[in-house]
């Protein structure tokens, strides 16, 4: 039987295992590794983000939509729907490998919604040619 996501500790495991996969991926690794020079603060911040969305703890500080738009600009507006799809695949895979229960379903629902919102915002924010 897999564990439930009941605290920040499980979210931290999720985030660390997930980003370990992302960093090694041929498609996503070069993007993330070029943008994030120091992974520890990033992993803490992402754990704060998900803790807020799952448990309501208001630790996260930042604007994730703006950050994704900045990353897209740094990548010469080259972030694709396929990149987001690969990212989503790893997120779902990691959840299913490690956990089960209501918070897994909640995290899957929220990440699908965020994926759409973030990508649509990036495309909308791109300069017109």
């Amino acid at each position: 039987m897999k564990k439930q996501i009941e605290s920040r500790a499980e979210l931290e495991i999720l985030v660390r295992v997930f980003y370990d996969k992302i960093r090694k991926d041929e498609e996503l690794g070069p993007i993330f590794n070029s943008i994030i020079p120091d992974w520890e603060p990033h992993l803490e911040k992402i754990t704060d983000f998900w803790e807020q969305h799952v448990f309501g703890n208001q630790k996260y500080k930042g604007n994730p939509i703006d950050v994704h738009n900045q990353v897209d600009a740094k990548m010469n507006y080259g972030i694709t729907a396929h990149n987001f799809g690969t990212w989503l695949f790893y997120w779902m895979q990691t959840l299913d490998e490690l956990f089960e229960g209501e918070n897994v379903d909640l995290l899957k629902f929220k990440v699908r919604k965020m994926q759409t919102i973030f990508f649509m915002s990036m495309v909308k924010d791109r300069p017109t040619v």
Side-chain angles (χ1 to χ4, degrees):
M1 190 166 176
K2 297 177 191 172
K3 292 182 75 174
Q4 302 273 330
I5 296 176
E6 298 176 323
S7 70
R8 179 181 177 90
E10 289 85 23
L11 289 173
E12 189 171 330
I13 292 167
L14 169 64
V15 166
R16 286 183 179 278
V17 171
F18 168 72
Y19 277 106
D20 189 49
K21 293 176 184 183
I22 294 293
R23 292 169 75 177
K24 293 175 184 170
D25 182 75
E26 289 181 15
E27 175 187 348
L28 299 179
I31 297 168
F32 279 84
N33 291 319
S34 70
I35 295 293
I36 302 166
D38 186 359
W39 275 90
E40 279 307 309
H42 180 73
L43 296 173
E44 283 295 314
K45 189 170 198 150
I46 297 301
T47 303
D48 289 347
F49 177 84
W50 287 113
E51 186 178 13
Q52 179 172 313
H53 282 276
V54 175
F55 301 116
N57 299 343
Q58 301 293 316
K59 291 182 180 178
Y60 177 76
K61 305 268 190 278
N63 182 336
I65 291 174
D66 187 49
V67 169
H68 284 82
N69 291 349
Q70 290 174 32
V71 168
D72 189 44
K74 287 179 185 172
M75 294 288 111
N76 205 24
Y77 305 104
I79 304 295
T80 66
H82 189 272
N83 296 146
F84 270 88
T86 302
W87 182 93
L88 181 65
F89 167 79
Y90 283 119
W91 183 256
M92 299 297 191
Q93 179 191 63
T94 306
L95 279 168
D96 289 339
E97 286 173 353
L98 299 175
F99 301 105
E100 65 183 6
E102 286 182 26
N103 283 332
V104 169
D105 296 337
L106 177 65
L107 282 162
K108 287 180 177 181
F109 172 77
K110 286 186 177 272
V111 82
R112 282 187 192 105
K113 212 165 130 178
M114 287 176 201
Q115 173 196 23
T116 302
I117 291 167
F118 291 178
F119 185 68
M120 294 307 294
S121 175
M122 280 179 14
V123 170
K124 185 177 159 228
D125 199 54
R126 290 177 177 170
T128 54
V129 192

